PDB file of all heavy atoms in Angstrom:
ATOM      1  N   PHE A   1       3.978   4.229  -0.067  1.00 91.00           N
ATOM      2  CA  PHE A   1       4.508   5.554  -0.177  1.00 91.00           C
ATOM      3  C   PHE A   1       5.466   5.750  -1.370  1.00 91.00           C
ATOM      4  O   PHE A   1       5.734   6.890  -1.712  1.00 91.00           O
ATOM      5  CB  PHE A   1       5.273   5.904   1.132  1.00 91.00           C
ATOM      6  CG  PHE A   1       4.403   6.047   2.330  1.00 91.00           C
ATOM      7  CD1 PHE A   1       4.809   5.588   3.580  1.00 91.00           C
ATOM      8  CD2 PHE A   1       3.095   6.553   2.219  1.00 91.00           C
ATOM      9  CE1 PHE A   1       3.967   5.694   4.675  1.00 91.00           C
ATOM     10  CE2 PHE A   1       2.315   6.725   3.339  1.00 91.00           C
ATOM     11  CZ  PHE A   1       2.733   6.235   4.562  1.00 91.00           C
ATOM     12  N   ILE A   2       5.941   4.639  -1.977  1.00 94.00           N
ATOM     13  CA  ILE A   2       6.844   4.797  -3.092  1.00 94.00           C
ATOM     14  C   ILE A   2       6.314   4.178  -4.394  1.00 94.00           C
ATOM     15  O   ILE A   2       6.140   4.857  -5.425  1.00 94.00           O
ATOM     16  CB  ILE A   2       8.250   4.196  -2.728  1.00 94.00           C
ATOM     17  CG1 ILE A   2       8.886   5.042  -1.566  1.00 94.00           C
ATOM     18  CG2 ILE A   2       9.152   4.193  -3.982  1.00 94.00           C
ATOM     19  CD1 ILE A   2      10.197   4.517  -1.170  1.00 94.00           C
ATOM     20  N   LEU A   3       6.067   2.824  -4.317  1.00 95.00           N
ATOM     21  CA  LEU A   3       5.640   2.122  -5.575  1.00 95.00           C
ATOM     22  C   LEU A   3       4.308   2.662  -6.149  1.00 95.00           C
ATOM     23  O   LEU A   3       4.203   2.906  -7.342  1.00 95.00           O
ATOM     24  CB  LEU A   3       5.640   0.685  -5.271  1.00 95.00           C
ATOM     25  CG  LEU A   3       6.999   0.022  -4.995  1.00 95.00           C
ATOM     26  CD1 LEU A   3       6.858  -1.446  -4.618  1.00 95.00           C
ATOM     27  CD2 LEU A   3       7.932   0.149  -6.238  1.00 95.00           C
ATOM     28  N   LYS A   4       3.301   2.724  -5.303  1.00 94.00           N
ATOM     29  CA  LYS A   4       1.961   3.065  -5.812  1.00 94.00           C
ATOM     30  C   LYS A   4       1.940   4.511  -6.395  1.00 94.00           C
ATOM     31  O   LYS A   4       1.428   4.714  -7.513  1.00 94.00           O
ATOM     32  CB  LYS A   4       0.926   2.871  -4.721  1.00 94.00           C
ATOM     33  CG  LYS A   4       0.641   1.394  -4.451  1.00 94.00           C
ATOM     34  CD  LYS A   4      -0.260   1.204  -3.231  1.00 94.00           C
ATOM     35  CE  LYS A   4      -1.629   1.770  -3.439  1.00 94.00           C
ATOM     36  NZ  LYS A   4      -2.493   1.415  -2.250  1.00 94.00           N
ATOM     37  N   PRO A   5       2.529   5.502  -5.708  1.00 94.00           N
ATOM     38  CA  PRO A   5       2.445   6.858  -6.290  1.00 94.00           C
ATOM     39  C   PRO A   5       3.484   7.197  -7.351  1.00 94.00           C
ATOM     40  O   PRO A   5       3.329   8.068  -8.137  1.00 94.00           O
ATOM     41  CB  PRO A   5       2.600   7.740  -5.062  1.00 94.00           C
ATOM     42  CG  PRO A   5       3.439   6.920  -4.126  1.00 94.00           C
ATOM     43  CD  PRO A   5       3.002   5.503  -4.322  1.00 94.00           C
ATOM     44  N   TYR A   6       4.664   6.460  -7.296  1.00 95.00           N
ATOM     45  CA  TYR A   6       5.770   6.869  -8.209  1.00 95.00           C
ATOM     46  C   TYR A   6       6.162   5.860  -9.288  1.00 95.00           C
ATOM     47  O   TYR A   6       6.865   6.230 -10.188  1.00 95.00           O
ATOM     48  CB  TYR A   6       7.010   7.132  -7.316  1.00 95.00           C
ATOM     49  CG  TYR A   6       6.834   8.327  -6.379  1.00 95.00           C
ATOM     50  CD1 TYR A   6       6.657   8.100  -5.012  1.00 95.00           C
ATOM     51  CD2 TYR A   6       6.904   9.611  -6.895  1.00 95.00           C
ATOM     52  CE1 TYR A   6       6.483   9.197  -4.158  1.00 95.00           C
ATOM     53  CE2 TYR A   6       6.762  10.708  -6.013  1.00 95.00           C
ATOM     54  CZ  TYR A   6       6.505  10.485  -4.685  1.00 95.00           C
ATOM     55  OH  TYR A   6       6.352  11.544  -3.786  1.00 95.00           O
ATOM     56  N   PHE A   7       5.744   4.566  -9.144  1.00 96.00           N
ATOM     57  CA  PHE A   7       6.158   3.562 -10.143  1.00 96.00           C
ATOM     58  C   PHE A   7       4.944   3.345 -11.053  1.00 96.00           C
ATOM     59  O   PHE A   7       4.009   2.642 -10.699  1.00 96.00           O
ATOM     60  CB  PHE A   7       6.595   2.313  -9.432  1.00 96.00           C
ATOM     61  CG  PHE A   7       7.316   1.327 -10.281  1.00 96.00           C
ATOM     62  CD1 PHE A   7       7.951   1.705 -11.447  1.00 96.00           C
ATOM     63  CD2 PHE A   7       7.322  -0.010  -9.918  1.00 96.00           C
ATOM     64  CE1 PHE A   7       8.573   0.746 -12.217  1.00 96.00           C
ATOM     65  CE2 PHE A   7       7.979  -0.950 -10.709  1.00 96.00           C
ATOM     66  CZ  PHE A   7       8.640  -0.526 -11.891  1.00 96.00           C
ATOM     67  N   MET A   8       5.007   3.894 -12.235  1.00 94.00           N
ATOM     68  CA  MET A   8       3.920   3.840 -13.144  1.00 94.00           C
ATOM     69  C   MET A   8       3.547   2.402 -13.531  1.00 94.00           C
ATOM     70  O   MET A   8       4.423   1.539 -13.804  1.00 94.00           O
ATOM     71  CB  MET A   8       4.232   4.606 -14.461  1.00 94.00           C
ATOM     72  CG  MET A   8       3.122   4.705 -15.433  1.00 94.00           C
ATOM     73  SD  MET A   8       3.527   5.765 -16.899  1.00 94.00           S
ATOM     74  CE  MET A   8       3.751   7.401 -16.062  1.00 94.00           C
ATOM     75  N   GLY A   9       2.275   2.078 -13.429  1.00 94.00           N
ATOM     76  CA  GLY A   9       1.792   0.799 -13.795  1.00 94.00           C
ATOM     77  C   GLY A   9       1.829  -0.251 -12.661  1.00 94.00           C
ATOM     78  O   GLY A   9       1.449  -1.387 -12.869  1.00 94.00           O
ATOM     79  N   TYR A  10       2.365   0.173 -11.465  1.00 96.00           N
ATOM     80  CA  TYR A  10       2.468  -0.760 -10.386  1.00 96.00           C
ATOM     81  C   TYR A  10       1.056  -1.295  -9.895  1.00 96.00           C
ATOM     82  O   TYR A  10       0.219  -0.415  -9.711  1.00 96.00           O
ATOM     83  CB  TYR A  10       3.257  -0.168  -9.222  1.00 96.00           C
ATOM     84  CG  TYR A  10       3.328  -1.102  -8.021  1.00 96.00           C
ATOM     85  CD1 TYR A  10       4.282  -2.167  -8.018  1.00 96.00           C
ATOM     86  CD2 TYR A  10       2.528  -1.020  -6.945  1.00 96.00           C
ATOM     87  CE1 TYR A  10       4.345  -3.065  -6.998  1.00 96.00           C
ATOM     88  CE2 TYR A  10       2.622  -1.858  -5.835  1.00 96.00           C
ATOM     89  CZ  TYR A  10       3.512  -2.878  -5.919  1.00 96.00           C
ATOM     90  OH  TYR A  10       3.636  -3.776  -4.786  1.00 96.00           O
ATOM     91  N   GLN A  11       0.938  -2.543  -9.690  1.00 95.00           N
ATOM     92  CA  GLN A  11      -0.294  -3.120  -9.119  1.00 95.00           C
ATOM     93  C   GLN A  11       0.039  -3.691  -7.804  1.00 95.00           C
ATOM     94  O   GLN A  11       0.914  -4.518  -7.647  1.00 95.00           O
ATOM     95  CB  GLN A  11      -0.843  -4.194 -10.071  1.00 95.00           C
ATOM     96  CG  GLN A  11      -1.295  -3.729 -11.435  1.00 95.00           C
ATOM     97  CD  GLN A  11      -2.469  -2.753 -11.372  1.00 95.00           C
ATOM     98  OE1 GLN A  11      -3.383  -3.012 -10.577  1.00 95.00           O
ATOM     99  NE2 GLN A  11      -2.422  -1.665 -12.125  1.00 95.00           N
ATOM    100  N   GLU A  12      -0.697  -3.282  -6.730  1.00 92.00           N
ATOM    101  CA  GLU A  12      -0.425  -3.775  -5.405  1.00 92.00           C
ATOM    102  C   GLU A  12      -0.641  -5.227  -5.300  1.00 92.00           C
ATOM    103  O   GLU A  12      -1.514  -5.841  -6.033  1.00 92.00           O
ATOM    104  CB  GLU A  12      -1.255  -3.002  -4.366  1.00 92.00           C
ATOM    105  CG  GLU A  12      -2.727  -3.064  -4.543  1.00 92.00           C
ATOM    106  CD  GLU A  12      -3.394  -2.119  -3.571  1.00 92.00           C
ATOM    107  OE1 GLU A  12      -2.895  -1.896  -2.467  1.00 92.00           O
ATOM    108  OE2 GLU A  12      -4.487  -1.621  -3.951  1.00 92.00           O
ATOM    109  N   PHE A  13       0.096  -5.864  -4.453  1.00 93.00           N
ATOM    110  CA  PHE A  13       0.099  -7.351  -4.320  1.00 93.00           C
ATOM    111  C   PHE A  13      -1.303  -7.798  -3.853  1.00 93.00           C
ATOM    112  O   PHE A  13      -1.823  -8.793  -4.382  1.00 93.00           O
ATOM    113  CB  PHE A  13       1.188  -7.753  -3.326  1.00 93.00           C
ATOM    114  CG  PHE A  13       1.213  -9.295  -3.050  1.00 93.00           C
ATOM    115  CD1 PHE A  13       1.871 -10.102  -3.961  1.00 93.00           C
ATOM    116  CD2 PHE A  13       0.656  -9.832  -1.985  1.00 93.00           C
ATOM    117  CE1 PHE A  13       1.985 -11.454  -3.755  1.00 93.00           C
ATOM    118  CE2 PHE A  13       0.722 -11.216  -1.700  1.00 93.00           C
ATOM    119  CZ  PHE A  13       1.386 -12.014  -2.623  1.00 93.00           C
ATOM    120  N   ASP A  14      -1.813  -7.169  -2.810  1.00 91.00           N
ATOM    121  CA  ASP A  14      -3.125  -7.602  -2.240  1.00 91.00           C
ATOM    122  C   ASP A  14      -3.733  -6.330  -1.706  1.00 91.00           C
ATOM    123  O   ASP A  14      -3.275  -5.699  -0.747  1.00 91.00           O
ATOM    124  CB  ASP A  14      -2.972  -8.644  -1.134  1.00 91.00           C
ATOM    125  CG  ASP A  14      -4.238  -9.170  -0.666  1.00 91.00           C
ATOM    126  OD1 ASP A  14      -5.300  -8.440  -0.596  1.00 91.00           O
ATOM    127  OD2 ASP A  14      -4.341 -10.405  -0.386  1.00 91.00           O
ATOM    128  N   ALA A  15      -4.882  -5.905  -2.250  1.00 88.00           N
ATOM    129  CA  ALA A  15      -5.563  -4.654  -1.883  1.00 88.00           C
ATOM    130  C   ALA A  15      -5.991  -4.703  -0.428  1.00 88.00           C
ATOM    131  O   ALA A  15      -6.195  -3.665   0.226  1.00 88.00           O
ATOM    132  CB  ALA A  15      -6.747  -4.413  -2.763  1.00 88.00           C
ATOM    133  N   ASN A  16      -6.164  -5.914   0.198  1.00 88.00           N
ATOM    134  CA  ASN A  16      -6.623  -6.018   1.548  1.00 88.00           C
ATOM    135  C   ASN A  16      -5.459  -5.683   2.539  1.00 88.00           C
ATOM    136  O   ASN A  16      -5.753  -5.367   3.697  1.00 88.00           O
ATOM    137  CB  ASN A  16      -7.152  -7.399   1.856  1.00 88.00           C
ATOM    138  CG  ASN A  16      -8.448  -7.626   1.162  1.00 88.00           C
ATOM    139  OD1 ASN A  16      -9.333  -6.757   1.071  1.00 88.00           O
ATOM    140  ND2 ASN A  16      -8.619  -8.877   0.629  1.00 88.00           N
ATOM    141  N   TYR A  17      -4.187  -5.772   2.081  1.00 88.00           N
ATOM    142  CA  TYR A  17      -3.079  -5.620   3.054  1.00 88.00           C
ATOM    143  C   TYR A  17      -3.080  -4.216   3.646  1.00 88.00           C
ATOM    144  O   TYR A  17      -2.678  -4.080   4.819  1.00 88.00           O
ATOM    145  CB  TYR A  17      -1.824  -5.972   2.358  1.00 88.00           C
ATOM    146  CG  TYR A  17      -1.469  -7.427   2.242  1.00 88.00           C
ATOM    147  CD1 TYR A  17      -2.427  -8.383   2.525  1.00 88.00           C
ATOM    148  CD2 TYR A  17      -0.209  -7.917   1.888  1.00 88.00           C
ATOM    149  CE1 TYR A  17      -2.153  -9.758   2.455  1.00 88.00           C
ATOM    150  CE2 TYR A  17       0.065  -9.255   1.837  1.00 88.00           C
ATOM    151  CZ  TYR A  17      -0.879 -10.163   2.064  1.00 88.00           C
ATOM    152  OH  TYR A  17      -0.603 -11.495   1.991  1.00 88.00           O
ATOM    153  N   ASN A  18      -3.402  -3.220   2.879  1.00 85.00           N
ATOM    154  CA  ASN A  18      -3.340  -1.860   3.385  1.00 85.00           C
ATOM    155  C   ASN A  18      -4.297  -1.703   4.543  1.00 85.00           C
ATOM    156  O   ASN A  18      -4.027  -1.055   5.524  1.00 85.00           O
ATOM    157  CB  ASN A  18      -3.654  -0.864   2.303  1.00 85.00           C
ATOM    158  CG  ASN A  18      -3.406   0.550   2.730  1.00 85.00           C
ATOM    159  OD1 ASN A  18      -2.244   0.962   2.865  1.00 85.00           O
ATOM    160  ND2 ASN A  18      -4.436   1.296   2.949  1.00 85.00           N
ATOM    161  N   PHE A  19      -5.454  -2.322   4.472  1.00 84.00           N
ATOM    162  CA  PHE A  19      -6.453  -2.241   5.524  1.00 84.00           C
ATOM    163  C   PHE A  19      -6.076  -3.079   6.733  1.00 84.00           C
ATOM    164  O   PHE A  19      -6.177  -2.684   7.887  1.00 84.00           O
ATOM    165  CB  PHE A  19      -7.798  -2.707   4.981  1.00 84.00           C
ATOM    166  CG  PHE A  19      -8.864  -2.794   6.055  1.00 84.00           C
ATOM    167  CD1 PHE A  19      -9.450  -1.739   6.661  1.00 84.00           C
ATOM    168  CD2 PHE A  19      -9.335  -4.137   6.379  1.00 84.00           C
ATOM    169  CE1 PHE A  19     -10.418  -1.856   7.619  1.00 84.00           C
ATOM    170  CE2 PHE A  19     -10.328  -4.264   7.398  1.00 84.00           C
ATOM    171  CZ  PHE A  19     -10.844  -3.149   8.007  1.00 84.00           C
ATOM    172  N   VAL A  20      -5.573  -4.310   6.480  1.00 82.00           N
ATOM    173  CA  VAL A  20      -5.262  -5.249   7.502  1.00 82.00           C
ATOM    174  C   VAL A  20      -4.086  -4.779   8.345  1.00 82.00           C
ATOM    175  O   VAL A  20      -4.057  -4.882   9.566  1.00 82.00           O
ATOM    176  CB  VAL A  20      -5.021  -6.648   6.901  1.00 82.00           C
ATOM    177  CG1 VAL A  20      -4.437  -7.616   7.986  1.00 82.00           C
ATOM    178  CG2 VAL A  20      -6.260  -7.231   6.311  1.00 82.00           C
ATOM    179  N   PHE A  21      -3.052  -4.234   7.657  1.00 82.00           N
ATOM    180  CA  PHE A  21      -1.791  -3.907   8.352  1.00 82.00           C
ATOM    181  C   PHE A  21      -1.636  -2.481   8.756  1.00 82.00           C
ATOM    182  O   PHE A  21      -0.669  -2.133   9.434  1.00 82.00           O
ATOM    183  CB  PHE A  21      -0.585  -4.318   7.471  1.00 82.00           C
ATOM    184  CG  PHE A  21      -0.386  -5.780   7.283  1.00 82.00           C
ATOM    185  CD1 PHE A  21      -0.344  -6.377   6.006  1.00 82.00           C
ATOM    186  CD2 PHE A  21      -0.275  -6.592   8.385  1.00 82.00           C
ATOM    187  CE1 PHE A  21      -0.164  -7.736   5.841  1.00 82.00           C
ATOM    188  CE2 PHE A  21      -0.096  -7.961   8.232  1.00 82.00           C
ATOM    189  CZ  PHE A  21       0.000  -8.552   6.982  1.00 82.00           C
ATOM    190  N   ASN A  22      -2.544  -1.609   8.360  1.00 80.00           N
ATOM    191  CA  ASN A  22      -2.403  -0.202   8.752  1.00 80.00           C
ATOM    192  C   ASN A  22      -2.630  -0.054  10.236  1.00 80.00           C
ATOM    193  O   ASN A  22      -3.752  -0.304  10.761  1.00 80.00           O
ATOM    194  CB  ASN A  22      -3.458   0.629   7.949  1.00 80.00           C
ATOM    195  CG  ASN A  22      -3.316   2.142   8.237  1.00 80.00           C
ATOM    196  OD1 ASN A  22      -2.424   2.556   8.918  1.00 80.00           O
ATOM    197  ND2 ASN A  22      -4.254   2.874   7.695  1.00 80.00           N
ATOM    198  N   SER A  23      -1.539   0.358  10.940  1.00 77.00           N
ATOM    199  CA  SER A  23      -1.590   0.365  12.426  1.00 77.00           C
ATOM    200  C   SER A  23      -2.175   1.683  12.915  1.00 77.00           C
ATOM    201  O   SER A  23      -2.951   1.734  13.905  1.00 77.00           O
ATOM    202  CB  SER A  23      -0.260   0.107  13.005  1.00 77.00           C
ATOM    203  OG  SER A  23       0.664   1.022  12.453  1.00 77.00           O
ATOM    204  N   TYR A  24      -1.833   2.831  12.317  1.00 79.00           N
ATOM    205  CA  TYR A  24      -2.351   4.117  12.810  1.00 79.00           C
ATOM    206  C   TYR A  24      -2.419   5.244  11.746  1.00 79.00           C
ATOM    207  O   TYR A  24      -2.684   6.349  12.125  1.00 79.00           O
ATOM    208  CB  TYR A  24      -1.493   4.567  13.983  1.00 79.00           C
ATOM    209  CG  TYR A  24      -0.017   4.713  13.764  1.00 79.00           C
ATOM    210  CD1 TYR A  24       0.467   5.819  13.075  1.00 79.00           C
ATOM    211  CD2 TYR A  24       0.946   3.801  14.172  1.00 79.00           C
ATOM    212  CE1 TYR A  24       1.865   6.012  12.796  1.00 79.00           C
ATOM    213  CE2 TYR A  24       2.310   3.960  13.972  1.00 79.00           C
ATOM    214  CZ  TYR A  24       2.767   5.070  13.302  1.00 79.00           C
ATOM    215  OH  TYR A  24       4.139   5.207  13.034  1.00 79.00           O
ATOM    216  N   TYR A  25      -2.078   4.973  10.560  1.00 81.00           N
ATOM    217  CA  TYR A  25      -2.040   6.097   9.512  1.00 81.00           C
ATOM    218  C   TYR A  25      -3.459   6.348   9.027  1.00 81.00           C
ATOM    219  O   TYR A  25      -4.087   5.616   8.235  1.00 81.00           O
ATOM    220  CB  TYR A  25      -1.200   5.701   8.409  1.00 81.00           C
ATOM    221  CG  TYR A  25       0.293   5.689   8.672  1.00 81.00           C
ATOM    222  CD1 TYR A  25       0.894   4.475   9.097  1.00 81.00           C
ATOM    223  CD2 TYR A  25       1.062   6.829   8.621  1.00 81.00           C
ATOM    224  CE1 TYR A  25       2.270   4.475   9.430  1.00 81.00           C
ATOM    225  CE2 TYR A  25       2.423   6.808   8.896  1.00 81.00           C
ATOM    226  CZ  TYR A  25       3.020   5.660   9.275  1.00 81.00           C
ATOM    227  OH  TYR A  25       4.343   5.636   9.593  1.00 81.00           O
ATOM    228  N   GLU A  26      -4.030   7.477   9.490  1.00 81.00           N
ATOM    229  CA  GLU A  26      -5.392   7.875   9.109  1.00 81.00           C
ATOM    230  C   GLU A  26      -5.388   8.301   7.633  1.00 81.00           C
ATOM    231  O   GLU A  26      -6.383   8.139   6.937  1.00 81.00           O
ATOM    232  CB  GLU A  26      -5.901   9.025   9.979  1.00 81.00           C
ATOM    233  CG  GLU A  26      -5.889   8.717  11.478  1.00 81.00           C
ATOM    234  CD  GLU A  26      -7.037   7.827  11.908  1.00 81.00           C
ATOM    235  OE1 GLU A  26      -7.865   7.527  10.985  1.00 81.00           O
ATOM    236  OE2 GLU A  26      -7.099   7.407  13.077  1.00 81.00           O
TER     237      GLU A  26
END
């Protein structure tokens, strides 16, 4: 919610984490 949309050039640590840890955010 902060780094990816607002911090230019930020690369996420592991692209799988969003899928693995997303509990209920559609």
Side-chain angles (χ1 to χ4, degrees):
F1 293 142
I2 295 179
L3 292 174
K4 289 170 66 175
Y6 294 105
F7 193 21
M8 185 176 295
Y10 178 78
Q11 297 293 319
E12 57 189 329
F13 179 81
D14 188 321
N16 291 320
Y17 279 12
N18 189 72
F19 172 71
V20 170
F21 289 125
N22 184 5
S23 54
Y24 57 76
Y25 290 92
E26 302 284 355

